[in-house]
Amino acid sequence: QQPVQSPQAVILREGEDAVINCSSSKALYSVHWYRQKHGEAPVFLMILLKGGEQKGHEKISASFNEKKQQSSLYLTASQLSYSGTYFCGTESTRGATNKLIFGTGTLLAVQP
Amino acid sequence: IAGITQAPTSQILAAGRRMTLRCTQDMRHNAMYWYRQDLGLGLRLIHYSNTAGTTGKGEVPDGYSVSRANTDDFPLTLASAVPSQTSVYFCASSDSSRDRIIHFGNGTRLTVT
């Protein structure tokens, strides 16, 4: 079953902050975050493993609450380049492949 | 440049025709995947493979088949295309024993008429 992302879409001004949430009905081993620009392939942002880990990548960070089966992506002081669709991908167990089940995406538009 | 190559980039196909989407990776990743992307539905896993010679079904496998004869190639075949298979198809790969990051190809846009 696909994880649920919220919000579905968000519009920001440059410099504003945003939070994107990803919630699963199943226990999770890991959560991956990707960003996709229009007409391009998804690009990896970060991976969070079981253990409540929080990671950061410049002004983008994420948290993983395994008990609540949720992850959140935090975008701080957004830039125009942050625009795109953000997907979370989840793994329920660590297997021989790390096949991800993706959410339906959150469209982020950053305006000048 | 290392990565994933998909071919063709786009294709218009008549319903009922057979079509193979090609995918080659040069990163020596053990795992490979096929996803389809449709507006409002996100990325959905069609088939996957964790090593040459083995394949598995994903979320939406019906109407598709795959093979993994070697590490580098993972073709996706539509035996008899239907309009509902109109989509953008992404091939992907990962090293599941190391960083587990999934790398995507640039996609194939397929239209079935």
Side-chain angles (χ1 to χ4, degrees):
Chain A
Q1 190 168 0
Q2 284 184 292
V4 177
Q5 286 186 234
S6 63
Q8 289 186 312
V10 59
I11 300 174
L12 300 174
R13 295 282 183 192
E14 266 188 300
E16 292 181 339
D17 302 338
V19 180
I20 300 172
N21 300 302
C22 175
S23 179
S24 174
S25 59
K26 301 174 70 172
L28 298 176
Y29 167 73
S30 73
V31 179
H32 301 225
W33 285 96
Y34 286 77
R35 176 171 61 209
Q36 185 179 31
K37 302 275 187 180
H38 182 69
E40 299 180 5
V43 174
F44 172 78
L45 291 176
M46 64 187 73
I47 179 174
L48 301 104
L49 301 177
K50 187 175 177 179
E53 191 170 350
Q54 182 151 357
K55 284 202 166 186
H57 174 69
E58 296 182 343
K59 294 181 181 177
I60 301 176
S61 62
S63 63
F64 177 25
N65 186 324
E66 63 184 274
K67 288 184 179 178
K68 291 186 177 180
Q69 299 157 192
Q70 293 175 345
S71 177
S72 294
L73 186 71
Y74 307 94
L75 299 103
T76 305
S78 58
Q79 306 167 13
L80 294 176
S81 62
Y82 287 4
S83 293
T85 301
Y86 289 77
F87 293 98
C88 68
T90 59
E91 284 183 274
S92 295
T93 57
R94 181 184 173 93
T97 59
N98 51 306
K99 54 185 185 293
L100 298 182
I101 304 301
F102 284 93
T104 55
T106 295
L107 178 63
L108 178 72
V110 181
Q111 298 178 340
Chain B
I1 298 176
I4 299 174
T5 302
Q6 290 186 237
T9 303
S10 65
Q11 181 76 44
I12 299 174
L13 185 69
R17 298 296 295 268
R18 181 184 179 89
M19 175 76 191
T20 295
L21 307 185
R22 300 185 297 278
C23 175
T24 300
Q25 55 109 354
D26 61 5
M27 296 176 281
R28 307 304 292 173
H29 286 170
N30 67 293
M32 296 189 75
Y33 316 87
W34 276 104
Y35 285 90
R36 61 176 289 175
Q37 184 172 33
D38 305 287
L39 194 64
L41 298 176
L43 294 149
R44 293 181 292 168
L45 182 64
I46 304 171
H47 284 288
Y48 64 92
S49 168
N50 68 340
T51 189
T54 66
T55 62
K57 294 182 180 180
E59 302 168 86
V60 288
D62 294 343
Y64 305 95
S65 64
V66 292
S67 61
R68 185 92 182 273
N70 56 60
T71 298
D72 299 342
D73 301 301
F74 192 44
L76 176 73
T77 298
L78 290 69
S80 179
V82 295
S84 62
Q85 292 178 311
T86 293
S87 187
V88 179
Y89 292 86
F90 286 100
C91 180
S93 70
S94 69
D95 184 336
S96 58
S97 64
R98 198 167 58 89
D99 60 16
R100 304 178 74 78
I101 295 172
I102 292 186
H103 302 260
F104 286 88
N106 288 328
T108 293
R109 181 174 295 276
L110 180 67
T111 303
V112 183
T113 61

